[in-house]
Amino acid sequence: EIQQAANTSQIEVLQTTDDPIGKTVKSLVKISTTPYAHNWYTVWSGDTYDQAGQWTDDTSMALALADSIATVGWNLDDQARRYLSWYKTDKYSVVDFCFDIGNQTRRSLDDFASVGSVSEVLRNVGETANTNGSIMRLAPVPIAYHYLFPDYIEKLAGLAKQSSDVTHPSQQCEDSCAYLALIIAGLIN
């Protein structure tokens, strides 16, 4: 049991440290598409609010998801409310406002703000939500529910898919979240 707690803590630390490192490396170098630059790599200074060591929207949403699970258990509407709180009021953000949000996440949260129910939002969404937002924030799900592995992997996979549905309700995103949740839970166990 002590080893499982240590593994869980290590994964939480990884989420909050890997995100800033990956973000920083990703935003340092971009390829210029102008014909005069001959596709040389150019250094990009980044956004004023996107500094080295700061986490991104992915970790902000993972923190909101973890807070929801720890506070109320499994509740998709509560998860969406906490994401909306991050988006609109800066809660869970590393700076004083939401400085980055994906288009699909924004659309889903704006829709949720209008209707107040994830199930209502899901009735009006098609298969166009195929971006990486839901898998980037997924870690709290397999961390909290790792005990379902391996005896109840269908339940764990189902929770991961539901988590994706809050902002990215496509089969591709759901399946990707289910797959990664099983890997993380297996590593914890």
Side-chain angles (χ1 to χ4, degrees), residues 23-189:
K23 170 199 55 88
T24 303
V25 170
K26 181 175 73 176
S27 40
L28 281 177
V29 179
K30 290 193 172 191
I31 297 175
S32 173
T33 57
T34 64
Y36 306 107
H38 304 291
N39 289 327
W40 288 98
Y41 289 109
T42 56
V43 176
W44 178 62
S45 63
D47 191 325
T48 303
Y49 302 103
D50 191 14
Q51 302 298 314
Q54 292 179 338
W55 64 73
T56 69
D57 55 329
D58 302 326
T59 296
S60 293
M61 293 189 76
L63 292 170
L65 177 57
D67 192 26
S68 177
I69 293 169
T71 304
V72 302
W74 194 256
N75 184 307
L76 297 180
D77 288 338
D78 186 75
Q79 291 171 26
R81 279 190 291 275
R82 290 172 196 267
Y83 299 151
L84 193 61
S85 178
W86 157 72
Y87 168 36
K88 297 292 186 179
T89 69
D90 80 24
K91 188 170 182 178
Y92 310 105
S93 182
V94 72
V95 293
D96 292 336
F97 58 94
C98 171
F99 68 91
D100 185 23
I101 184 170
N103 292 331
Q104 177 58 41
T105 300
R106 177 182 285 120
R107 275 191 300 273
S108 293
L109 294 179
D110 286 342
D111 290 348
F112 176 80
S114 297
V115 298
S117 166
V118 171
S119 61
E120 288 296 317
V121 172
L122 290 174
R123 291 184 185 154
N124 301 318
V125 177
E127 279 289 312
T128 60
N130 290 325
T131 60
N132 71 345
S134 60
I135 202 167
M136 298 301 290
R137 67 168 186 258
L138 178 70
V141 176
I143 289 171
Y145 297 100
H146 68 88
Y147 61 87
L148 295 172
F149 186 90
D151 296 329
Y152 302 99
I153 61 172
E154 295 85 8
K155 174 72 173 167
L156 178 57
L159 293 173
K161 288 179 177 189
Q162 288 176 18
S163 175
S164 179
D165 285 345
V166 176
T167 58
H168 294 73
S170 75
Q171 189 69 49
Q172 181 180 8
C173 293
E174 290 174 348
D175 291 346
S176 297
C177 285
Y179 183 72
L180 183 59
L182 296 177
I183 291 171
I184 293 172
L187 290 171
I188 291 172
N189 288 315

